[in-house]
Structures are given as structure tokens and as C-alpha cells.
Amino acid sequence: MLFSIKDIKYYCSIYRITMLCRNGLSRLQFILPRSGPVHSVHQKRLLGKVVLEPLESRSILAVQGSDAVPFLQGLITNDMNHVQRGSTSIYTMFLNTSGRVLYDSLIYRIDKDVGQNYFVECDTSVVKLLAKHLNLFRVRKKVEITKPDMKVWVAFTAQDNTEGQNETIALKESSNSNTLIYKDARLQELGYRLLADSSIDFKELKTLFCNETSLPNIKSYVEHRYVLGIGEGVCNLPPGKCFPLEANCDYLHGVSFHKGCYIGQELTARTYHTGVVRKRLMPLVFDHPVDCGVIPDDAEIKNKEGQLVGKLRGYNKAFGLGLLRVEKISSNQLLIVGDKYHCKTYKPNWWPKELSKKK
């Protein structure tokens, strides 16, 4: 494949921007298309309309102190060395001793002159339980765990299909010290996380974007996640009921298989090295929108032959998530949820290509 001089200059400029971000010279991170024609990036700059939504279901804990890194390192699936070496955030999970997921989390680095300071995002319904979990293992470590008065927002461009999106979110340079902006560490399609003082509202936050910005109208962030096939929080990842690889934590860059010991590591590492993950979280598309509360939690999912292939892990209108047996599932296969509601599934385009080819 031949590239023009214009294309080469473009990719060089992208490389320079990436290196600047990695070296910490800019607090803003840039979302760029993973694939597609080069010229598509320049078409109207692809500034898609941004949906800016407050996430009441997510809360923040602050972990501060000189022992913050080794403290968190022994409790999470990911490697805290990533944030020490330049990453501004990581996706991770807290496990119990049997290797099952307790809490999914995003950890953010706070740039301060003194000490090690991190924000830990988790589901609001378990924020007190996570704080208790952290304090249980704190022992004599020089760590302080507090709950700041902050609100989590998300900024994303709603996609109208399951093939991914190419639209870009463009940020303005800002000196607003009350709002921290991070690119989601899982997928570019998930946009940005904004950690803002609880007093800051939508009008103030929308000034941070070059794009046209609005509050969620028809498509919410939950539905956006379901289209992508990504679980989040206790609704999709019930504590103690699923394993990190079943929740695609490995595909979402949330597990390190090279770091030292952490709680729940043994079973996670063994599963990974055997290469056998029988069930995974996958997106569902219903034939018709379903009202909330109609389908019970953990409803069984069967194929048209009546064989059990998985369980429901959440839904919103016409989209949902299911924990499905991968070897028994094929794209566009008819599935029945709760013996009544018809749906289909598909393999997300962000799954490893070699895996998609095998299935």
C-alpha cells in the first residue's frame, strides 16, 4: 500500500502528539480513529456531536500517601507501574481470594507536587464497601483513603451502528483546576471521563469541548456501552459472581500478567495461561425495545433449540449484555431471553481479530 507525502506528514504529526502526551507535556489526551481511510479524519474534522452525561452510578475515592502505589499494586489486576511511567489512567478490577470480581474500577493519576495521589472510580452502590476493603488491607501503610466531593461525567459521541465510530472529540485548552479530564483507558469509543467538583454543572463543562455538546436525549451512556458490549458496575458485574476474563478485562487492558502477586491472581493467571475462557460478556440486540424491569436479573438465555447458553447481565431498551458460552454462539444467531424475548448477539469489533476469525 502506497502513501502520499500528505499522508506521511499526517501520521508523523499524530506520532508527535502521542509522544507529547506520553511525556506528560499535555494534560489533555487525544482520541483518534483506529482505522479507516486517512482522508476521513479531515472531512469536516469529524467533530461529532458530544453527549455529556453525569454518571450518578459512579463515585470517587481518593487514595493518597507515599505508599499509595505499592498499596494498590497488591489489590488490583492491573499494574500501577503504568501510571508511574506516564499513563494518566488505568482500568482494573478488585478481586476476592477466589479470583472473582468484587469491584470494577478506573484509577486516575493526580499530578501534584508532593506525594502519590490517585482517584479510584467505582460503582456508587459499593463505594463504602470498597473503602472498607481498602482500609482492611491498609495496615501500617502510609495511605489515606477519603471520599472527595466530586462528580463523574462522561463525554462520548453516540454511534448509530455496531461497526464502531470514527468521530473525534476535540478538547479546548483549559485552566479549570476544578475539572480533571481523562481519556477512558478501555476503548476510544468510550470517550472521556471528567472528574469535576460537585458544584460544576453542564453549562460550565460544555465549554471544554470544540464539539457541539448536549445532555443525553435518546441514547444514554448505558445504552452506548451495551452497543459496544462493555459491562460496568454491579448491575453488569455482580460482586463475587464472575471472573475478570469473563468480563473481558484482558481485552480492555485491565489485567497485567507480568506483575507480582495480588489478591485473586492465581486463578486469573492459570485461566489465562490455559487459554480456556468458556464464557464472555457479549452485546445483545433485541428484536423490539423492552421496558425496564420486565426481564428479571440473571434471566436465562437459550438458543432456538432450547439449550442454555448464558445469562442476562443487564439491558436498556433494545440493547443488553449477556454472559454467554462463546463456543455455542455465532453472530446473528437467534437467542431467547427469559423464554420470551428474542435477541441476537455479535462479536464486538474491538475483540482480538484472531479470535473473531476462529469463531
Side-chain angles (χ1 to χ4, degrees):
M1 180 178 181
L2 298 178
F3 292 93
S4 67
I5 297 298
K6 183 178 180 182
D7 294 342
I8 294 173
K9 287 182 177 179
Y10 166 72
Y11 280 116
C12 288
S13 67
I14 297 309
Y15 175 79
R16 286 195 294 271
I17 289 174
T18 303
M19 294 308 296
L20 284 173
C21 292
R22 287 180 179 175
N23 291 329
L25 299 181
S26 172
R27 294 184 67 187
L28 302 181
Q29 298 183 2
F30 298 82
I31 289 182
L32 296 169
R34 283 184 173 180
S35 59
V38 173
H39 63 78
S40 67
V41 177
H42 305 287
Q43 293 177 358
K44 299 181 181 179
R45 296 185 181 180
L46 285 180
L47 297 183
K49 186 173 182 179
V50 170
V51 178
L52 188 57
E53 181 177 347
L55 297 182
E56 303 295 344
S57 62
R58 307 296 285 181
S59 292
I60 295 293
L61 288 175
V63 178
Q64 301 171 305
S66 58
D67 290 337
V69 169
F71 170 65
L72 290 171
Q73 183 79 326
L75 297 175
I76 64 174
T77 57
N78 214 332
D79 193 342
M80 286 296 294
N81 287 318
H82 293 320
V83 291
Q84 285 196 306
R85 295 168 183 166
S87 298
T88 56
S89 65
I90 58 172
Y91 175 58
T92 191
M93 291 182 174
F94 293 86
L95 310 181
N96 61 20
T97 53
S98 63
R100 294 179 183 270
V101 177
L102 288 177
Y103 320 109
D104 64 300
S105 176
L106 286 159
I107 297 180
Y108 308 100
R109 187 187 72 216
I110 312 170
D111 294 322
K112 287 191 176 181
D113 297 332
V114 181
Q116 300 178 25
N117 303 276
Y118 299 93
F119 282 147
V120 179
E121 177 192 317
C122 67
D123 193 291
T124 299
S125 65
V126 295
V127 65
K128 291 183 179 179
L129 292 175
L130 177 56
K132 183 178 179 180
H133 180 75
L134 295 175
N135 279 303
L136 179 65
F137 293 96
R138 187 177 63 171
V139 196
R140 296 180 181 178
K141 290 184 173 63
K142 296 178 181 178
V143 173
E144 183 181 359
I145 301 165
T146 58
K147 188 179 184 306
D149 188 18
M150 302 186 74
K151 181 181 290 188
V152 182
W153 294 70
V154 63
F156 65 97
T157 55
Q159 58 189 60
D160 295 324
N161 55 63
T162 59
E163 297 299 324
Q165 63 184 39
N166 290 319
E167 295 173 332
T168 299
I169 298 177
L171 297 171
K172 298 178 182 177
E173 293 288 346
S174 173
S175 59
N176 187 345
S177 60
N178 293 323
T179 303
L180 298 174
I181 305 174
Y182 299 89
K183 186 175 71 171
D184 196 297
R186 294 168 289 182
L187 291 178
Q188 69 167 29
E189 291 88 348
L190 291 174
Y192 286 89
R193 280 295 212 266
L194 287 77
L195 311 184
D197 187 274
S198 59
S199 62
I200 296 178
D201 60 10
F202 169 79
K203 291 183 179 180
E204 187 170 348
L205 290 177
K206 75 175 184 178
T207 62
L208 300 173
F209 298 91
C210 300
N211 312 63
E212 180 184 354
T213 309
S214 68
L215 287 166
N217 182 11
I218 298 176
K219 180 167 287 186
S220 69
Y221 177 67
V222 172
E223 186 177 351
H224 179 65
R225 281 196 298 104
Y226 287 176
V227 171
L228 293 169
I230 295 176
E232 184 177 282
V234 298
C235 177
N236 304 147
L237 310 172
K241 288 190 176 182
C242 68
F243 296 99
L245 304 191
E246 291 180 348
N248 300 318
C249 193
D250 51 340
Y251 293 173
L252 295 170
H253 324 295
V255 185
S256 171
F257 297 102
H258 307 288
K259 61 177 279 188
C261 296
Y262 60 89
I263 295 176
Q265 179 200 27
E266 184 178 355
L267 183 59
T268 304
R270 188 191 313 146
T271 303
Y272 172 77
H273 290 297
T274 58
V276 180
V277 182
R278 293 184 174 84
K279 295 180 288 185
R280 284 194 179 268
L281 212 57
M282 297 182 68
L284 302 174
V285 182
F286 290 91
D287 289 350
H288 305 285
V290 183
D291 293 335
C292 292
V294 173
I295 308 177
D297 297 336
D298 277 353
E300 292 184 344
I301 302 176
K302 300 178 181 180
N303 58 22
K304 61 181 180 180
E305 288 78 25
Q307 186 179 20
L308 181 66
V309 295
K311 288 189 175 183
L312 184 69
R313 280 291 182 259
Y315 71 96
N316 185 287
K317 300 177 182 177
F319 298 95
L321 289 175
L323 185 62
L324 306 177
R325 291 188 173 274
V326 181
E327 75 278 3
K328 296 183 179 180
I329 296 298
S330 61
S331 296
N332 295 319
Q333 177 184 356
L334 176 64
L335 300 174
I336 304 172
V337 181
D339 296 322
K340 182 177 180 181
Y341 301 95
H342 291 190
C343 66
K344 293 182 179 180
T345 187
Y346 52 90
K347 295 178 177 63
N349 64 346
W350 50 267
W351 277 25
K353 291 182 180 179
E354 59 274 12
L355 180 65
S356 299
K357 290 179 181 179
K358 292 178 183 179
K359 303 300 176 183

